[in-house]
Amino acid sequence: MNTITPKSGLFLAGSCIAAIAAVGSIFELSSGQPDLGTQTTAIILALSIPLTGLFFVAAVKDARANIK
């Protein structure tokens, strides 16, 4: 019973990438000298946190919709 479709796989990949961006932004901001600047790094962090959750929820919904 394989419920992971290419669509849900892309959503999971997006969730992983957004989570990595969030963690990286936190480390950059805590270092005191972010490479992209404080404002840009904060924007990346603010966008990546909700995107992580949205992509994950979308992947779970897609996988549940494909259960036979």
Side-chain angles (χ1 to χ4, degrees):
M1 177 163 88
N2 190 4
T3 58
I4 295 183
T5 63
K7 183 179 172 184
S8 61
L10 287 174
F11 283 139
L12 283 175
S15 179
C16 289
I17 291 169
I20 291 168
V23 171
S25 295
I26 291 170
F27 279 113
E28 283 288 312
L29 288 170
S30 67
S31 74
Q33 294 291 334
D35 291 339
L36 299 176
T38 303
Q39 184 177 8
T40 304
T41 306
I43 291 170
I44 293 170
L45 177 61
L47 291 174
S48 62
I49 290 174
L51 280 176
T52 300
L54 288 174
F55 282 141
F56 184 77
V57 168
V60 170
K61 282 184 180 180
D62 183 63
R64 284 187 179 171
N66 291 308
I67 294 176
K68 296 177 183 168

